Amino acid sequence: MLIGIVYGMENTFPAALVDRINGMNVPDVRAEHVKVGAVRMAEPCRYRVIIDRISHDIPFYRAWVKNATLSGTKVINNPFWWSADDKFFNYALASKLGVAVPRTVILPHKSHPPGTTDRSMRNLEYPLNWDDVFRYIGFPAFLKPHSGGGWKSVYKVNSPEELFRAYDETGDLCMTLQQGIEFDQYFRCYVIGREKVHVMQYDPRQPHENRYVQNPPPVEPALYHRVVTDALTLCRALGYDLNTVEFAVQDNVPYAIDFLNPAPDADLQSVGAANFEWVVQAVAEMAIEEALKEPETPEYRWAAFLNGKSQTAKY
């Protein structure tokens, strides 16, 4: 049973994961760094499990891992789901699930997307009712892409004037405007296999390499329990097997801020040794567990792949 790791520029996590899986000496289970060239359609995949760390950025890899699922390969994370996902939908879903989220609106593109003109936008309300938006969201607020990561193109705005200046810079990105949470605590949680949660105290106001809090103070038990419960609720609803969920805490309420991370940061230098050890071990155990499962005949329907199911349909 072969486990493959496909990745991009990151170094520490993929190598450590391959070494950890192989070092556990599970009979008939082995991990390796993926090598893939031109891929034939519907070609059987040699991997029982693929840990995908890069296809969110590289369409070739995304097509390959989706093709691999046709032969029953388990891909972590499910490329069918996160390809269809976006952060605005996530916020709306969270609110339906009873998880606290900041008030959020989605805004039209500031500039026309490539290949479109003003005639493509004839169904848009113009001008927008900005006063209504401001009453709903308030200030401070965050303007950020409806799908993206790495804190790219994220603006904190404190007034309509600051918002309009930032909005002018977003080009053809689709943006959300979200209520700013004036937090006194912030957590980033690894969620593995929709069962294991590792809560990390985090400060997004610090430089990237200093964001994971060293020697953090104890967390009040009821708050900790709610953070863990909400993180599991979100990942189980969204179908992510490897994700991070971020919470900003205001008035003892943890607001889910970000929980669409198909390849969450797991670099030793940024997350620190203790967090790194936890995620390497947890992902290794999950990958081995998936590899040991009996292969099933895929059900060749879109809904089955979207749901991560691989059993044969019964009619």
Side-chain angles (χ1 to χ4, degrees):
M1 277 97 45
L2 192 57
I3 299 169
I5 320 298
V6 58
Y7 53 94
M9 292 185 289
E10 64 178 338
N11 291 314
T12 56
F13 178 69
L17 185 58
V18 168
D19 290 345
R20 181 65 55 87
I21 292 170
N22 291 337
M24 293 169 76
N25 296 315
V26 178
D28 301 320
V29 174
R30 183 171 61 87
E32 68 176 30
H33 302 270
V34 164
K35 293 292 184 183
V36 60
V39 181
R40 298 181 183 181
M41 65 180 185
E43 183 176 47
C45 182
R46 58 195 291 258
Y47 296 105
R48 181 70 62 84
V49 176
I50 295 171
I51 307 294
D52 172 18
R53 303 285 296 167
I54 190 59
S55 77
H56 60 289
D57 283 335
I58 309 293
F60 166 75
Y61 289 133
R62 187 185 309 177
W64 171 63
V65 295
K66 290 167 73 175
N67 191 70
T69 65
L70 293 172
S71 56
T73 297
K74 169 74 173 184
V75 180
I76 301 170
N77 281 300
N78 182 343
F80 291 89
W81 173 250
W82 66 253
S83 293
D85 199 7
D86 67 73
K87 293 187 176 184
F88 183 67
F89 173 79
N90 282 4
Y91 297 134
L93 176 64
S95 69
K96 295 289 188 182
L97 293 169
V99 175
V101 287
R103 296 184 298 272
T104 308
V105 298
I106 192 168
L107 300 173
H109 308 263
K110 178 62 179 179
S111 302
H112 298 318
T116 66
T117 69
D118 55 349
R119 289 179 60 80
S120 307
M121 307 299 169
R122 287 181 290 176
N123 292 105
L124 287 181
E125 175 187 286
Y126 185 83
L128 287 179
N129 187 340
W130 286 108
D131 288 339
D132 184 63
V133 171
F134 298 151
R135 280 192 296 269
Y136 176 63
I137 298 296
F139 290 101
F142 284 90
L143 182 68
K144 53 187 179 181
H146 92 299
S147 186
W151 293 80
K152 297 176 183 177
S153 301
V154 175
Y155 304 84
K156 183 178 182 180
V157 294
N158 296 290
S159 66
E161 293 73 25
E162 289 186 15
L163 167 64
F164 293 139
R165 283 196 296 270
Y167 193 35
D168 286 342
E169 296 178 6
T170 61
D172 62 6
L173 293 174
C174 183
M175 305 295 289
T176 60
L177 184 66
Q178 187 172 78
Q179 171 196 7
I181 301 299
E182 297 297 309
F183 61 87
D184 49 38
Q185 296 181 80
Y186 198 102
F187 302 106
R188 197 166 202 251
C189 307
Y190 281 125
V191 184
I192 309 298
R194 300 177 233 172
E195 294 293 338
K196 298 177 182 178
V197 180
H198 181 59
V199 179
M200 301 170 286
Q201 296 192 42
Y202 186 80
D203 188 350
R205 296 167 294 200
Q206 298 299 319
H208 183 77
E209 65 276 9
N210 296 325
R211 288 181 179 176
Y212 292 90
V213 179
Q214 303 298 313
N215 303 311
V219 181
E220 193 273 321
L223 176 61
Y224 183 91
H225 176 75
R226 180 168 176 182
V227 164
V228 169
T229 299
D230 286 355
L232 288 171
T233 296
L234 291 169
C235 291
R236 288 170 180 171
L238 293 166
Y240 289 117
D241 292 302
L242 171 53
N243 196 12
T244 49
V245 182
E246 296 183 15
F247 295 94
V249 182
Q250 179 177 293
D251 298 328
N252 215 39
V253 176
Y255 291 87
I257 299 295
D258 181 68
F259 39 101
L260 194 171
N261 294 290
D265 178 24
D267 182 73
L268 172 61
Q269 304 308 317
S270 63
V271 305
N275 296 326
F276 183 78
E277 168 61 26
W278 187 93
V279 72
V280 169
Q281 183 66 25
V283 175
E285 290 172 357
M286 174 179 62
I288 290 170
E289 180 181 351
E290 292 293 339
L292 292 173
K293 290 180 179 178
E294 287 296 321
E296 298 173 326
T297 303
E299 179 185 336
Y300 300 126
R301 295 191 299 172
W302 175 265
F305 293 114
L306 189 65
N307 292 328
K309 296 178 180 178
S310 58
Q311 62 270 21
T312 304
K314 296 180 180 179
Y315 299 99

